[in-house]
Amino acid sequence: PGEPGEVAWGRRGGGALGGRGLTPLAVASGAVAWATWAVLLMPGFRRVPLRLQVPYQPSGPQQVANALALLRGRAGKTGDLGSGDGRLVVEAYKQGLRPAVGYELNPWLLCLSNYRAWKAGYRGKVSFLKKDLWKVNLSDCYNVIVFLAPSVKPPLAAKLLAELPDEARVVAGRFPFPSWTPTSTLGQGLEQVWAYDMKEVRRTAQSSAEGSPV
C-alpha cells in the first residue's frame, strides 16, 4: 500500500473509483456504445421495418467453413443476404462460387467488405451492393447464404419460395427455417448450418397443401 503507481480501488480520495465513480463510468461506456451503433450500424436499418431489422453479428471461421462446405461443387450465382463485413462472399469466391454477390444496406459494412475483398486480391471480382434484401430479385441466384435472425425467417421463406429457381440451394446459419425440412446439415451448436434444396422444399410444401383438409 502506498507504493508509487498503485491503483487505489475503493479508497477515498486520490482518484479512487468507488461506487460513485463506477456509475458515471458505466453511463459513459453505454453512451459510447450507443454512439457507435448510431453512427456505424443504424444507417443500414433506417429504411427497413423494425420487425425485419437484423443486427450485425460477424460469422465465426467454423460457421463460414460449414456454410461453404454445403455449397461445395455447385455452380451459378451466389448471394449473401445481409452480407455484413463480406467474409462469406470473399470466401465463396475463393472456393469457386462465382459470381459472388453480397447485399447489405449499411455503408460502413460495405466499406469494410470492399476492403476485405481488396486485401484478398479480389477487388472488382466480387460485388457488394447497397440494396435492401427484401427488394432484391433473387430469381438468378442458385446459391443463397442466410445468416439472419429467427424473426425474419418466415417472411424470407415466402420470398425465397416465390423467387428462387428449383435448382437453387439455400444455406442458413445460426438458425434454421422453422417450416422447412433441411436436405442436409453440418456442425453443432452455434456452428451448425442447414442446407435446403428449393425443389424439395416446394415438393414438401405442395404435398402438405394437398393433404390439408379443405
Side-chain angles (χ1 to χ4, degrees), residues 29 42 55-56 82 102 108-109 135 139 142 147 163-164 171 183 208 213:
S29 299
M42 180 59 76
Y56 166 60
W108 299 98
L109 292 177
K135 298 177 181 178
S139 60
Y142 288 85
F147 274 67
E163 297 180 11
L164 290 181
V171 172
T183 305
S208 298

Side-chain angles (χ1 to χ4, degrees), residues 64-65 68-69 72-73 90-98 122:
V64 173
L68 294 175
R72 187 172 294 126
V90 170
E91 191 62 30
Y93 183 88
K94 185 185 298 184
Q95 295 194 19
L97 293 165
R98 304 171 184 179
Y122 299 147

